[in-house]
Amino acid sequence: DLISKWACPDLFAYILLMHLISELGQISEHVVTASKMDLGFTCFSLFCIGSSIASLGYRVADRSHPRLQRLVSLCSQKVLATTVVFLTILFFVLFCYGLATPAMGVKLGQLNPTMTAALDALGLKGKIKAHIGVLHCMQELLDDVVVGHINSIISLLMLAVFCVGFTALDMICLCLTAIRLQAGKSKGEMMKRAWVFKKLSMLDVTIMGIVVVCFAMQMYKQYLIVATHRGLWLLLAAEIIHYTTYYLVKAATEHYLPNLQLGDDPAWSELGSSIAGSAMSSDSEDSASDERGTLPTDSD
């Protein structure tokens, strides 16, 4: 239930890496690159989306945080609301700036003198480099979606909805929860939505994927250097604020609404259960078919 979305880090990094390589092909007519997301990406992405949503169907009691509750009890609800509003504003500043700033880049490594001389003769020395950010990647994907590429549609869904959309919605719900607690009008409904959005938001997963892939690409540093850029660290700072705000508001909700149970929203639980049930029934049918030894033929 807790680690379902952490199957996805590579997925987001692949999306950015493929478009980063494509950017190299636009430098000159002498530079030709080819990158394509194929059937494996389609299957892997559908698995990641399905497992993340299906995890909502497991009704597990959410862990409380007594130490944070004691900390929250030391300040008034007005101070809490003011702090959360400030954190929300700071988050969106860093978040928007990080999305618009390159998060990943590539350039040539230390090539031998012969290759360096060849590049110099073509007028490409120092020019073979590219960078890409999340927002830029989404714009490129949108152009591909118009053409009708299925994997581009899935990629845009992952970035625009899970990485960007759910993260932003979660911060908005947390801010509204703190404001309603201060006004004495909160019954916990907004915090329940924030709990769901937190489970489905994948900015943290995206950051981890980019870092891991950049480290893994170090084995090719003699030829290509793939490295993180400033946008990634801005997004990391925004995500740290997101985590801080979430647990701060969650502890406040636990303190002021002790009977509230997160994760028991019937609508989300039924959605997750239906997806998990469909997957299990499909596996059962496949297993039964294998046991009978009946495989579809052309005549069938």
Short mmCIF file of all heavy atoms in Angstrom, two decimals, residues 2-18 37 41 44-45 47-49 51-52 104 134 155 158-159 162-163 199-216 232 243:
data_model
loop_
_atom_site.label_atom_id
_atom_site.label_comp_id
_atom_site.label_asym_id
_atom_site.label_seq_id
_atom_site.Cartn_x
_atom_site.Cartn_y
_atom_site.Cartn_z
N LEU A 2 1.97 1.22 0.75
CA LEU A 2 2.82 2.40 0.87
C LEU A 2 3.79 2.55 -0.29
O LEU A 2 4.16 3.67 -0.64
CB LEU A 2 3.61 2.34 2.19
CG LEU A 2 2.78 2.44 3.48
CD1 LEU A 2 3.68 2.23 4.69
CD2 LEU A 2 2.07 3.77 3.57
N ILE A 3 4.20 1.45 -0.89
CA ILE A 3 5.26 1.52 -1.89
C ILE A 3 4.76 1.29 -3.31
O ILE A 3 5.57 1.15 -4.23
CB ILE A 3 6.37 0.49 -1.58
CG1 ILE A 3 5.82 -0.94 -1.67
CG2 ILE A 3 6.97 0.74 -0.21
CD1 ILE A 3 6.90 -2.01 -1.53
N SER A 4 3.44 1.26 -3.51
CA SER A 4 2.90 0.93 -4.83
C SER A 4 3.42 1.87 -5.91
O SER A 4 3.77 1.44 -7.01
CB SER A 4 1.37 0.95 -4.80
OG SER A 4 0.89 2.21 -4.37
N LYS A 5 3.46 3.18 -5.63
CA LYS A 5 3.88 4.14 -6.66
C LYS A 5 5.38 4.14 -6.90
O LYS A 5 5.84 4.71 -7.89
CB LYS A 5 3.40 5.54 -6.30
CG LYS A 5 4.13 6.19 -5.13
CD LYS A 5 3.63 7.61 -4.92
CE LYS A 5 4.38 8.32 -3.79
NZ LYS A 5 3.91 9.70 -3.61
N TRP A 6 6.13 3.48 -6.02
CA TRP A 6 7.58 3.50 -6.17
C TRP A 6 8.09 2.46 -7.17
O TRP A 6 9.30 2.21 -7.25
CB TRP A 6 8.26 3.34 -4.82
CG TRP A 6 8.12 4.58 -4.01
CD1 TRP A 6 7.22 4.83 -3.03
CD2 TRP A 6 8.89 5.78 -4.15
NE1 TRP A 6 7.37 6.10 -2.55
CE2 TRP A 6 8.38 6.71 -3.21
CE3 TRP A 6 9.95 6.16 -4.97
CZ2 TRP A 6 8.91 7.99 -3.08
CZ3 TRP A 6 10.47 7.43 -4.83
CH2 TRP A 6 9.95 8.33 -3.90
N ALA A 7 7.16 1.87 -7.94
CA ALA A 7 7.56 1.08 -9.10
C ALA A 7 7.81 1.97 -10.31
O ALA A 7 8.30 1.51 -11.34
CB ALA A 7 6.47 0.06 -9.43
N CYS A 8 7.50 3.26 -10.17
CA CYS A 8 7.45 4.16 -11.34
C CYS A 8 8.66 5.05 -11.60
O CYS A 8 8.66 5.75 -12.62
CB CYS A 8 6.23 5.09 -11.21
SG CYS A 8 4.67 4.25 -10.90
N PRO A 9 9.69 5.14 -10.75
CA PRO A 9 10.74 6.14 -11.00
C PRO A 9 11.36 6.06 -12.39
O PRO A 9 11.55 7.09 -13.05
CB PRO A 9 11.78 5.84 -9.91
CG PRO A 9 11.00 5.25 -8.80
CD PRO A 9 9.92 4.46 -9.45
N ASP A 10 11.69 4.84 -12.83
CA ASP A 10 12.32 4.70 -14.15
C ASP A 10 11.42 5.21 -15.26
O ASP A 10 11.90 5.74 -16.26
CB ASP A 10 12.66 3.23 -14.42
CG ASP A 10 13.73 2.71 -13.48
OD1 ASP A 10 14.36 3.54 -12.81
OD2 ASP A 10 13.92 1.49 -13.41
N LEU A 11 10.12 5.06 -15.08
CA LEU A 11 9.16 5.44 -16.11
C LEU A 11 9.28 6.92 -16.46
O LEU A 11 9.38 7.29 -17.63
CB LEU A 11 7.75 5.13 -15.61
CG LEU A 11 6.61 5.28 -16.62
CD1 LEU A 11 6.72 4.23 -17.70
CD2 LEU A 11 5.26 5.16 -15.92
N PHE A 12 9.30 7.77 -15.45
CA PHE A 12 9.40 9.22 -15.70
C PHE A 12 10.76 9.59 -16.27
O PHE A 12 10.86 10.47 -17.13
CB PHE A 12 9.14 9.98 -14.40
CG PHE A 12 7.73 9.87 -13.90
CD1 PHE A 12 7.38 8.93 -12.96
CD2 PHE A 12 6.73 10.69 -14.39
CE1 PHE A 12 6.08 8.81 -12.50
CE2 PHE A 12 5.43 10.60 -13.94
CZ PHE A 12 5.11 9.65 -12.99
N ALA A 13 11.80 8.92 -15.78
CA ALA A 13 13.14 9.22 -16.28
C ALA A 13 13.27 8.82 -17.75
O ALA A 13 13.91 9.53 -18.54
CB ALA A 13 14.18 8.48 -15.44
N TYR A 14 12.66 7.70 -18.14
CA TYR A 14 12.69 7.28 -19.55
C TYR A 14 12.02 8.32 -20.44
O TYR A 14 12.50 8.60 -21.54
CB TYR A 14 11.99 5.93 -19.73
CG TYR A 14 12.67 4.76 -19.06
CD1 TYR A 14 11.95 3.63 -18.69
CD2 TYR A 14 14.04 4.77 -18.81
CE1 TYR A 14 12.57 2.55 -18.08
CE2 TYR A 14 14.67 3.71 -18.20
CZ TYR A 14 13.93 2.60 -17.83
OH TYR A 14 14.55 1.54 -17.23
N ILE A 15 10.90 8.86 -19.98
CA ILE A 15 10.18 9.85 -20.77
C ILE A 15 11.08 11.06 -21.04
O ILE A 15 11.21 11.53 -22.18
CB ILE A 15 8.89 10.29 -20.05
CG1 ILE A 15 7.91 9.12 -19.92
CG2 ILE A 15 8.23 11.45 -20.80
CD1 ILE A 15 6.73 9.41 -19.03
N LEU A 16 11.70 11.58 -19.98
CA LEU A 16 12.57 12.74 -20.14
C LEU A 16 13.82 12.40 -20.95
O LEU A 16 14.27 13.20 -21.79
CB LEU A 16 12.96 13.28 -18.77
CG LEU A 16 11.84 13.98 -17.99
CD1 LEU A 16 12.30 14.25 -16.56
CD2 LEU A 16 11.42 15.27 -18.65
N LEU A 17 14.39 11.22 -20.73
CA LEU A 17 15.61 10.83 -21.42
C LEU A 17 15.38 10.67 -22.92
O LEU A 17 16.21 11.11 -23.74
CB LEU A 17 16.15 9.52 -20.83
CG LEU A 17 17.50 9.04 -21.38
CD1 LEU A 17 18.59 10.06 -21.12
CD2 LEU A 17 17.87 7.68 -20.77
N MET A 18 14.25 10.07 -23.30
CA MET A 18 13.95 9.90 -24.72
C MET A 18 13.83 11.25 -25.44
O MET A 18 14.33 11.44 -26.54
CB MET A 18 12.65 9.11 -24.89
CG MET A 18 12.72 7.65 -24.49
SD MET A 18 13.93 6.68 -25.44
CE MET A 18 15.32 6.63 -24.29
N MET A 37 9.70 5.05 -27.62
CA MET A 37 9.11 4.28 -26.53
C MET A 37 8.18 3.24 -27.15
O MET A 37 7.23 3.59 -27.85
CB MET A 37 8.36 5.20 -25.57
CG MET A 37 9.28 6.13 -24.80
SD MET A 37 8.43 7.27 -23.69
CE MET A 37 7.66 8.38 -24.87
N PHE A 41 7.28 -0.10 -22.81
CA PHE A 41 6.90 1.11 -22.07
C PHE A 41 5.40 1.16 -21.83
O PHE A 41 4.95 1.53 -20.75
CB PHE A 41 7.35 2.36 -22.84
CG PHE A 41 6.90 3.65 -22.22
CD1 PHE A 41 7.66 4.26 -21.24
CD2 PHE A 41 5.72 4.27 -22.62
CE1 PHE A 41 7.25 5.44 -20.65
CE2 PHE A 41 5.31 5.45 -22.05
CZ PHE A 41 6.08 6.04 -21.06
N PHE A 44 4.54 -1.40 -19.07
CA PHE A 44 5.07 -0.98 -17.78
C PHE A 44 4.29 0.20 -17.21
O PHE A 44 3.97 0.24 -16.02
CB PHE A 44 6.55 -0.63 -17.93
CG PHE A 44 7.24 -0.27 -16.65
CD1 PHE A 44 6.96 -0.95 -15.47
CD2 PHE A 44 8.17 0.75 -16.61
CE1 PHE A 44 7.60 -0.63 -14.29
CE2 PHE A 44 8.81 1.09 -15.43
CZ PHE A 44 8.52 0.39 -14.26
N SER A 45 3.96 1.17 -18.07
CA SER A 45 3.24 2.35 -17.60
C SER A 45 1.82 1.99 -17.15
O SER A 45 1.34 2.49 -16.13
CB SER A 45 3.19 3.41 -18.69
OG SER A 45 2.58 2.91 -19.86
N PHE A 47 0.89 -0.88 -15.98
CA PHE A 47 1.06 -1.58 -14.69
C PHE A 47 1.24 -0.57 -13.56
O PHE A 47 0.62 -0.71 -12.49
CB PHE A 47 2.28 -2.50 -14.76
CG PHE A 47 2.84 -2.86 -13.41
CD1 PHE A 47 2.18 -3.76 -12.59
CD2 PHE A 47 4.01 -2.27 -12.95
CE1 PHE A 47 2.69 -4.08 -11.33
CE2 PHE A 47 4.52 -2.58 -11.71
CZ PHE A 47 3.86 -3.48 -10.89
N CYS A 48 2.08 0.45 -13.77
CA CYS A 48 2.33 1.44 -12.72
C CYS A 48 1.06 2.21 -12.36
O CYS A 48 0.75 2.42 -11.19
CB CYS A 48 3.42 2.41 -13.18
SG CYS A 48 5.06 1.67 -13.30
N ILE A 49 0.32 2.64 -13.39
CA ILE A 49 -0.91 3.39 -13.15
C ILE A 49 -1.92 2.50 -12.42
O ILE A 49 -2.55 2.90 -11.43
CB ILE A 49 -1.50 3.91 -14.47
CG1 ILE A 49 -0.58 4.94 -15.10
CG2 ILE A 49 -2.88 4.52 -14.24
CD1 ILE A 49 -0.99 5.38 -16.50
N SER A 51 -1.47 -0.27 -10.58
CA SER A 51 -1.09 -0.66 -9.22
C SER A 51 -1.24 0.50 -8.24
O SER A 51 -1.65 0.31 -7.09
CB SER A 51 0.35 -1.17 -9.20
OG SER A 51 1.26 -0.15 -9.60
N SER A 52 -0.95 1.72 -8.71
CA SER A 52 -1.07 2.89 -7.83
C SER A 52 -2.53 3.16 -7.46
O SER A 52 -2.85 3.42 -6.30
CB SER A 52 -0.47 4.13 -8.50
OG SER A 52 0.90 3.95 -8.75
N MET A 104 17.31 18.13 -16.62
CA MET A 104 18.18 17.05 -17.08
C MET A 104 18.91 17.52 -18.33
O MET A 104 18.33 18.21 -19.18
CB MET A 104 17.32 15.82 -17.38
CG MET A 104 18.04 14.51 -17.50
SD MET A 104 16.79 13.19 -17.72
CE MET A 104 17.83 11.75 -17.58
N VAL A 134 10.59 19.52 -17.29
CA VAL A 134 9.31 18.81 -17.27
C VAL A 134 8.30 19.53 -18.16
O VAL A 134 7.58 18.90 -18.96
CB VAL A 134 8.78 18.70 -15.83
CG1 VAL A 134 7.39 18.05 -15.82
CG2 VAL A 134 9.74 17.87 -14.97
N SER A 155 2.47 9.04 -21.69
CA SER A 155 3.53 9.84 -21.08
C SER A 155 3.01 11.19 -20.60
O SER A 155 3.36 11.65 -19.50
CB SER A 155 4.67 10.06 -22.09
OG SER A 155 5.22 8.84 -22.51
N MET A 158 1.05 10.69 -17.45
CA MET A 158 1.90 10.48 -16.28
C MET A 158 2.50 11.79 -15.78
O MET A 158 2.51 12.05 -14.57
CB MET A 158 3.03 9.49 -16.63
CG MET A 158 2.58 8.09 -16.97
SD MET A 158 1.73 7.27 -15.61
CE MET A 158 3.04 7.14 -14.41
N LEU A 159 2.99 12.61 -16.69
CA LEU A 159 3.62 13.86 -16.27
C LEU A 159 2.60 14.91 -15.84
O LEU A 159 2.72 15.51 -14.76
CB LEU A 159 4.48 14.41 -17.41
CG LEU A 159 5.84 13.74 -17.64
CD1 LEU A 159 6.53 14.35 -18.84
CD2 LEU A 159 6.72 13.83 -16.41
N PHE A 162 -0.20 12.80 -12.92
CA PHE A 162 0.37 12.19 -11.71
C PHE A 162 1.52 13.01 -11.14
O PHE A 162 1.60 13.18 -9.91
CB PHE A 162 0.83 10.76 -12.01
CG PHE A 162 -0.30 9.79 -12.17
CD1 PHE A 162 -0.88 9.58 -13.40
CD2 PHE A 162 -0.81 9.10 -11.08
CE1 PHE A 162 -1.94 8.70 -13.56
CE2 PHE A 162 -1.86 8.21 -11.21
CZ PHE A 162 -2.43 8.01 -12.46
N CYS A 163 2.40 13.50 -11.99
CA CYS A 163 3.54 14.26 -11.47
C CYS A 163 3.16 15.68 -11.07
O CYS A 163 3.48 16.13 -9.97
CB CYS A 163 4.65 14.27 -12.52
SG CYS A 163 6.07 15.29 -12.08
N LYS A 199 -1.11 10.00 -2.16
CA LYS A 199 -0.74 8.65 -2.60
C LYS A 199 -0.52 8.58 -4.10
O LYS A 199 0.29 7.79 -4.59
CB LYS A 199 -1.82 7.66 -2.18
CG LYS A 199 -1.85 7.35 -0.69
CD LYS A 199 -2.92 6.34 -0.37
CE LYS A 199 -2.61 4.98 -0.95
NZ LYS A 199 -1.42 4.35 -0.35
N LEU A 200 -1.27 9.41 -4.85
CA LEU A 200 -1.19 9.35 -6.31
C LEU A 200 -0.21 10.37 -6.90
O LEU A 200 0.16 10.26 -8.06
CB LEU A 200 -2.57 9.59 -6.92
CG LEU A 200 -3.64 8.53 -6.62
CD1 LEU A 200 -4.97 8.92 -7.23
CD2 LEU A 200 -3.20 7.16 -7.13
N SER A 201 0.21 11.35 -6.10
CA SER A 201 1.15 12.35 -6.61
C SER A 201 2.54 11.72 -6.76
O SER A 201 2.99 10.98 -5.89
CB SER A 201 1.22 13.55 -5.66
OG SER A 201 1.74 13.18 -4.41
N MET A 202 3.20 12.01 -7.87
CA MET A 202 4.45 11.32 -8.18
C MET A 202 5.60 12.26 -8.50
O MET A 202 6.50 11.91 -9.26
CB MET A 202 4.23 10.34 -9.34
CG MET A 202 3.25 9.22 -9.01
SD MET A 202 3.21 7.95 -10.29
CE MET A 202 1.92 6.87 -9.63
N LEU A 203 5.58 13.45 -7.93
CA LEU A 203 6.72 14.33 -8.10
C LEU A 203 7.96 13.74 -7.43
O LEU A 203 9.06 13.78 -7.98
CB LEU A 203 6.42 15.72 -7.53
CG LEU A 203 7.56 16.74 -7.60
CD1 LEU A 203 7.99 16.98 -9.05
CD2 LEU A 203 7.17 18.06 -6.95
N ASP A 204 7.77 13.15 -6.25
CA ASP A 204 8.89 12.52 -5.55
C ASP A 204 9.46 11.36 -6.35
O ASP A 204 10.67 11.16 -6.44
CB ASP A 204 8.45 12.06 -4.16
CG ASP A 204 7.14 11.27 -4.16
OD1 ASP A 204 6.55 11.09 -5.25
OD2 ASP A 204 6.69 10.84 -3.08
N VAL A 205 8.57 10.59 -6.97
CA VAL A 205 8.99 9.46 -7.79
C VAL A 205 9.76 9.94 -9.02
O VAL A 205 10.78 9.34 -9.41
CB VAL A 205 7.75 8.64 -8.22
CG1 VAL A 205 8.14 7.54 -9.18
CG2 VAL A 205 7.06 8.05 -7.00
N THR A 206 9.30 11.03 -9.63
CA THR A 206 9.97 11.58 -10.80
C THR A 206 11.38 12.04 -10.46
O THR A 206 12.34 11.76 -11.20
CB THR A 206 9.16 12.77 -11.36
OG1 THR A 206 7.83 12.34 -11.65
CG2 THR A 206 9.81 13.33 -12.61
N ILE A 207 11.52 12.73 -9.35
CA ILE A 207 12.84 13.22 -8.92
C ILE A 207 13.79 12.05 -8.69
O ILE A 207 14.94 12.07 -9.15
CB ILE A 207 12.70 14.07 -7.64
CG1 ILE A 207 11.92 15.35 -7.94
CG2 ILE A 207 14.07 14.40 -7.06
CD1 ILE A 207 11.51 16.13 -6.70
N MET A 208 13.30 11.03 -8.00
CA MET A 208 14.14 9.86 -7.74
C MET A 208 14.57 9.19 -9.04
O MET A 208 15.73 8.78 -9.20
CB MET A 208 13.38 8.87 -6.86
CG MET A 208 14.15 7.58 -6.56
SD MET A 208 15.69 7.86 -5.67
CE MET A 208 15.04 8.31 -4.05
N GLY A 209 13.65 9.05 -9.98
CA GLY A 209 13.97 8.42 -11.25
C GLY A 209 15.05 9.16 -12.02
O GLY A 209 15.97 8.54 -12.58
N ILE A 210 14.96 10.48 -12.06
CA ILE A 210 15.95 11.28 -12.78
C ILE A 210 17.33 11.14 -12.13
O ILE A 210 18.35 10.96 -12.82
CB ILE A 210 15.53 12.76 -12.82
CG1 ILE A 210 14.26 12.92 -13.66
CG2 ILE A 210 16.65 13.62 -13.40
CD1 ILE A 210 13.68 14.32 -13.63
N VAL A 211 17.38 11.18 -10.81
CA VAL A 211 18.65 11.05 -10.09
C VAL A 211 19.28 9.68 -10.36
O VAL A 211 20.48 9.58 -10.66
CB VAL A 211 18.45 11.28 -8.58
CG1 VAL A 211 19.72 10.92 -7.81
CG2 VAL A 211 18.06 12.72 -8.30
N VAL A 212 18.48 8.62 -10.27
CA VAL A 212 19.00 7.26 -10.47
C VAL A 212 19.51 7.07 -11.89
O VAL A 212 20.60 6.51 -12.11
CB VAL A 212 17.90 6.22 -10.14
CG1 VAL A 212 18.34 4.83 -10.58
CG2 VAL A 212 17.59 6.22 -8.66
N VAL A 213 18.76 7.54 -12.88
CA VAL A 213 19.18 7.38 -14.28
C VAL A 213 20.45 8.18 -14.56
O VAL A 213 21.35 7.71 -15.27
CB VAL A 213 18.03 7.78 -15.22
CG1 VAL A 213 18.54 7.96 -16.65
CG2 VAL A 213 16.93 6.74 -15.21
N CYS A 214 20.54 9.38 -14.01
CA CYS A 214 21.75 10.18 -14.22
C CYS A 214 22.98 9.49 -13.62
O CYS A 214 24.07 9.50 -14.22
CB CYS A 214 21.58 11.57 -13.63
SG CYS A 214 20.47 12.64 -14.60
N PHE A 215 22.81 8.87 -12.45
CA PHE A 215 23.92 8.11 -11.86
C PHE A 215 24.26 6.89 -12.71
O PHE A 215 25.43 6.58 -12.93
CB PHE A 215 23.57 7.68 -10.44
CG PHE A 215 23.92 8.69 -9.39
CD1 PHE A 215 22.94 9.34 -8.67
CD2 PHE A 215 25.24 9.01 -9.12
CE1 PHE A 215 23.26 10.29 -7.71
CE2 PHE A 215 25.59 9.95 -8.17
CZ PHE A 215 24.58 10.59 -7.46
N ALA A 216 23.23 6.21 -13.20
CA ALA A 216 23.45 5.01 -14.02
C ALA A 216 24.16 5.34 -15.33
O ALA A 216 24.96 4.55 -15.83
CB ALA A 216 22.12 4.31 -14.30
N LEU A 232 15.77 20.33 -11.40
CA LEU A 232 15.53 19.16 -10.54
C LEU A 232 15.63 19.54 -9.07
O LEU A 232 14.81 19.10 -8.25
CB LEU A 232 16.52 18.05 -10.86
CG LEU A 232 16.34 16.77 -10.04
CD1 LEU A 232 15.10 16.02 -10.49
CD2 LEU A 232 17.57 15.87 -10.15
N TYR A 243 6.03 17.54 1.48
CA TYR A 243 6.04 16.53 2.54
C TYR A 243 5.87 17.18 3.91
O TYR A 243 5.11 16.68 4.75
CB TYR A 243 7.36 15.74 2.50
CG TYR A 243 7.29 14.47 1.69
CD1 TYR A 243 7.27 14.51 0.30
CD2 TYR A 243 7.25 13.23 2.30
CE1 TYR A 243 7.21 13.35 -0.45
CE2 TYR A 243 7.19 12.05 1.57
CZ TYR A 243 7.17 12.11 0.19
OH TYR A 243 7.11 10.96 -0.56
#
